[in-house]
Amino acid sequence: MPLAETSLAYALHGAAGAVAEVLAGRNLNEVLAGLWRSMPDLPPGQRGAMQDLAYSALRRFGRDDFHLSQLMDKPLRDGPVRGLLLVALSRLAARPEEAHTIVDQAVEAAGALSRGKYKALVNGVLRNFLRRQAELEAAAGQDEVAHWQHPRWWIARLRRAHPDGWQPILEAGNGRPPMTLRVNRRRIAATDYLARLEAAGLAARPLDGGALLLERPVPVERLPGFAEGLCSVQDGGAQRAAQLLDVHDGMRVLDACAAPGGKTAHVLELADVDLLALDADAGRALRVSENLFRLGLLAKVAPADCRELGAWWDGREFDRILADVPCTASGVVRRHPDAKWLRREKDIAQFARTQGEILDALWRVLAPGGKLLYATCSLFPEENGRQVAAFAARQEDCMRLPVAGMPELQLLPNEEHDGFYYALLEKQA
Ligand SMILES: C[S@@+](CC[C@H](N)C(=O)[O-])C[C@H]1O[C@@H](n2cnc3c(N)ncnc32)[C@H](O)[C@@H]1O
């Protein structure tokens, strides 16, 4: 019998498939986008439930995979059934009071996978987990990956890079991200928008720098005037970029890695500048144009690899360059929990190489006296401080400027913002 569309079993089944695809190497956003396309009539509530289940299971993967290793003699080869067990275990952790319903619904979901041949196994594993929970949790507490819910190499690197703060970083990475707004000051003052939020029953408070932190995340459709461009969703740490870039009316600005355009739009909200936004991914570059259109802002947007100057540069130098480079995204894993498990340690060196190439290329198009803001959402020094120090050492005309009164700004993820890194470089005239 097919699963009822409104049931928990249906949501567990959908999320299990998504988790299995991620564990097979696919990106969670792409997997979910494909799932929504294949289920156009899925009620919004069920979509939210599936998404939440998949995210939670991936945040906890290190722990629940450990539990499975204790509960099963050999690893389960069937990806979706393994996904189902992981999703069910994470739901048991979140809603212990609903344990029996969760197990029943997971068994029902198992009936719709692999012709139902794993129903008894799913039932047995989950009931066994509930029986042995205290003992299993104690064992998980002794296993580093299970305890911190991050890969072992990742934990080791954070411990080395942030000896005084690696535990809160890992804890933040396992939590739910805050939802923060950027008010489009070209359309409404932040205080007026705060009043609009209050009138809509949405509690929020301003952070340093003007971002508005919502007490609770909501779908964007509930934000007053979102479609009309009164605000954007953007992390408070990300909102530092445009402010640090120090833009003024009339400047020529390059946003070299722009998609989906959050920082591009912010720059344009702050000053009347002539802005070129590039992104190597043509599909993502389109999203920059869509975002600017919603906000009533104008820029030239082009799909291009910013390292290939011959393909896009017209020979005129820029006063300001934002290099928000591709990185491991280790500062935003709570928003992309798949990244923890998909990344490999050797990716850091690969990202660092690309970042170095991007910096070298962009330096050539920066005007003397101009400033380049280097940004990542990473917490690994190879992509941040070490990258910038190596660059400054090989460019004689590079002077490092203070960022928020410090040589560089490394924001660590917390309840107000994600993890970000900023360094500001000036080209000597
Ligand atoms: C961290 S994201 C940028 C986020 C964006 N600045 C924002 O605030 O919305 C990095 C972007 O760089 C793009 N990218 C990667 N390599 C690139 C390259 N060589 N040239 C231009 N864009 C690149 C990726 O497609 C991705 O969209």
Side-chain angles (χ1 to χ4, degrees):
M1 225 179 36
L3 301 170
E5 240 196 32
T6 50
S7 65
L8 175 61
Y10 193 80
L12 290 168
H13 179 271
V19 167
E21 288 203 50
V22 168
L23 295 179
R26 290 193 59 205
N27 169 289
L28 178 60
N29 280 342
E30 285 167 18
V31 168
L32 289 178
L35 194 60
W36 310 149
R37 273 196 302 277
S38 72
M39 301 175 160
D41 301 325
L42 189 68
Q46 269 301 55
R47 181 191 278 215
M50 274 185 203
Q51 180 162 318
D52 194 49
L53 285 166
Y55 270 78
S56 301
L58 289 166
R59 283 199 187 103
R60 286 180 53 88
F61 171 70
R63 191 172 194 92
D64 291 330
D65 191 48
F66 174 83
H67 289 324
L68 287 184
S69 73
Q70 306 291 297
L71 289 161
M72 303 182 69
D73 296 337
K74 50 182 188 313
L76 190 56
R77 298 182 90 83
D78 186 303
V81 175
R82 179 171 175 236
L84 177 63
L85 285 169
L86 291 166
V87 168
L89 285 173
S90 85
R91 181 74 165 197
L92 286 171
R95 309 255 182 107
E97 70 286 359
E98 294 172 14
H100 292 290
T101 309
I102 294 167
V103 174
D104 288 347
Q105 291 290 292
V107 172
E108 201 165 325
L113 291 171
S114 301
R115 287 185 302 282
K117 70 176 178 183
Y118 292 106
K119 270 178 91 167
L121 179 134
V122 167
N123 189 38
V125 168
L126 294 179
R127 288 191 193 281
N128 215 353
F129 170 76
L130 291 174
R131 245 188 327 270
R132 296 176 49 197
Q133 190 164 6
E135 165 217 335
L136 289 167
E137 296 292 2
Q142 301 304 311
D143 181 278
E144 199 176 44
V145 176
H147 180 73
W148 292 112
Q149 301 170 42
H150 282 67
R152 200 174 303 283
W153 65 264
W154 191 301
I155 300 168
R157 280 183 174 262
L158 284 182
R159 201 194 291 245
R160 276 202 302 276
H162 306 277
D164 300 327
W166 59 278
Q167 297 103 324
I169 295 175
L170 291 168
E171 276 158 10
N174 291 331
R176 285 167 185 265
M179 183 169 179
T180 309
L181 305 180
R182 187 188 77 242
V183 178
N184 182 356
R185 60 162 70 188
R186 296 205 178 252
R187 298 227 157 135
I188 188 168
T191 44
D192 293 339
Y193 192 72
L194 196 55
R196 294 274 303 261
L197 286 173
E198 261 174 42
L202 301 174
R205 68 181 167 91
L207 299 176
D208 286 349
L212 299 181
L213 179 67
L214 289 175
E215 197 172 275
R216 229 168 269 113
V218 293
V220 289
E221 300 77 38
R222 284 200 51 205
L223 297 172
F226 180 80
E228 294 78 47
L230 294 196
C231 76
S232 300
V233 177
Q234 188 181 37
D235 180 71
Q239 292 189 39
R240 302 296 292 272
Q243 294 156 350
L244 293 170
L245 194 59
D246 181 31
V247 284
H248 302 281
D249 290 353
M251 282 184 167
R252 244 174 86 69
V253 179
L254 173 67
D255 188 351
C257 301
K263 300 182 186 77
T264 319
H266 195 188
V267 168
L268 293 164
E269 287 166 9
L270 293 181
D272 290 319
V273 295
D274 174 10
L275 190 147
L276 172 63
L278 303 177
D279 201 279
D281 181 325
R284 283 173 62 82
L286 271 180
R287 293 189 52 205
V288 180
S289 305
E290 287 163 9
N291 276 326
L292 296 183
F293 180 74
R294 180 180 64 82
L295 295 162
L297 301 166
L298 271 180
K300 285 186 238 44
V301 180
D305 183 328
C306 65
R307 292 170 297 183
E308 293 169 11
L309 303 187
W312 60 267
W313 191 41
D314 64 5
R316 289 186 301 148
E317 290 166 331
F318 295 91
D319 305 301
R320 295 287 183 269
I321 297 180
L322 173 57
D324 188 17
V325 294
C327 70
T328 53
S330 49
V332 294
V333 279
R334 57 188 174 184
R335 297 189 193 277
H336 306 285
D338 51 331
K340 283 191 289 195
W341 312 110
L342 295 179
R343 289 259 174 272
R344 297 289 169 257
E345 190 170 14
K346 63 179 169 22
D347 295 345
I348 299 176
Q350 179 57 47
F351 275 116
R353 247 189 315 280
T354 305
Q355 291 154 359
E357 289 167 11
I358 289 178
L359 275 172
D360 287 339
L362 297 180
W363 199 247
R364 292 171 54 198
V365 303
L366 181 65
K371 295 180 191 173
L372 181 150
L373 183 71
Y374 176 80
T376 74
C377 53
S378 174
L379 304 172
F380 298 137
E382 292 83 349
E383 304 182 273
N384 298 341
R386 268 189 237 160
Q387 176 73 263
V388 173
F391 176 75
R394 67 178 177 266
Q395 298 290 348
E396 275 181 5
D397 54 355
C398 171
M399 187 171 85
R400 296 188 61 165
L401 299 178
V403 187
M406 290 172 284
E408 58 191 357
L409 181 62
Q410 175 73 77
L411 297 174
L412 302 179
N414 62 22
E415 62 287 350
E416 292 192 347
H417 56 71
D418 291 336
F420 272 92
Y421 172 85
Y422 293 110
L424 191 59
L425 309 173
E426 188 178 69
K427 192 171 190 172
Q428 298 300 278

